[in-house]
Amino acid sequence: MPYDSISDLPDGVKDNLPKHAQEIYQEAYNSAWKQYDHEEERAHKVAWGAVKNEYEKNDDGKWVKKDD
């Protein structure tokens, strides 16, 4: 089901991603949820892909915004 707010996101997302990345995840998930006829697993993959377009893990394993 779509996420109404970032506080509703899975713990793995909330506990690891910066707020902006969480917002990207939420928007991409909700869009994919609608586009792919409520396929939850596919929507999660799309959301993670969207996050990885702008964020990456650093050497400490923390998600940080990619350098332009």
Side-chain angles (χ1 to χ4, degrees):
M1 91 179 117
Y3 296 107
D4 293 329
S5 69
I6 60 173
S7 64
D8 296 331
L9 293 173
D11 289 341
V13 174
K14 289 189 300 188
D15 295 344
N16 293 294
L17 296 179
K19 184 178 180 199
H20 180 246
Q22 292 178 38
E23 293 166 347
I24 292 169
Y25 188 99
Q26 177 191 4
E27 185 176 334
Y29 178 92
N30 289 348
S31 177
W33 170 265
K34 291 175 192 170
Q35 181 177 353
Y36 297 117
D37 201 25
H38 306 165
E39 289 184 44
E40 187 173 350
E41 184 175 337
R42 193 171 189 182
H44 282 295
K45 287 181 181 181
V46 168
W48 276 113
V51 168
K52 290 176 181 178
N53 281 335
E54 292 194 42
Y55 286 82
E56 63 189 355
K57 281 190 174 184
N58 66 13
D59 293 338
D60 296 328
K62 294 186 181 197
W63 287 94
V64 294
K65 193 149 177 68
K66 289 181 177 180
D67 292 332
D68 289 332

